[in-house]
Amino acid sequence: MTISPLSLDELLTTTRSVRKRLDLDRPVPIELVRECLDIALQAPSGGNRQGWHWIVVTDPELRSQIGAYYTG
């Protein structure tokens, strides 16, 4: 399957069915993660409180442990 490259804005605004086709095993540069978070900070929040908390986990073993917590 050929997947055409998406701009950052296109990626963040596509439908769920399109996002399912993304290569989730490909490493993402930390600069891109930071840029995504910068864009996410522009999103509205309930009551305009901006009570976000972000944790970026890059260690595969730790990500696996966190994933297991949420799936089981």
Side-chain angles (χ1 to χ4, degrees), residues 25-70:
D25 294 323
R26 186 177 61 180
V28 178
I30 194 67
E31 298 82 24
L32 182 57
V33 173
R34 287 185 179 120
E35 188 174 350
C36 290
L37 291 174
D38 286 341
I39 290 172
L41 290 172
Q42 303 304 312
S45 61
N48 200 28
R49 293 204 229 168
Q50 291 83 21
W52 302 289
H53 300 305
W54 304 94
I55 298 174
V56 176
V57 180
T58 58
D59 179 82
E61 184 177 326
L62 183 54
R63 274 199 317 251
S64 180
Q65 291 173 2
I66 293 169
Y69 175 81
Y70 284 101

Side-chain angles (χ1 to χ4, degrees), residues 7-45:
S7 73
L8 182 60
D9 291 335
E10 290 170 323
L11 178 64
L12 293 173
T13 58
T14 57
T15 63
R16 213 176 266 187
S17 62
V18 172
R19 286 190 302 244
K20 287 182 181 180
R21 295 176 42 207
L22 297 175
D23 181 0
L24 299 177
D25 294 323
R26 186 177 61 180
V28 178
I30 194 67
E31 298 82 24
L32 182 57
V33 173
R34 287 185 179 120
E35 188 174 350
C36 290
L37 291 174
D38 286 341
I39 290 172
L41 290 172
Q42 303 304 312
S45 61

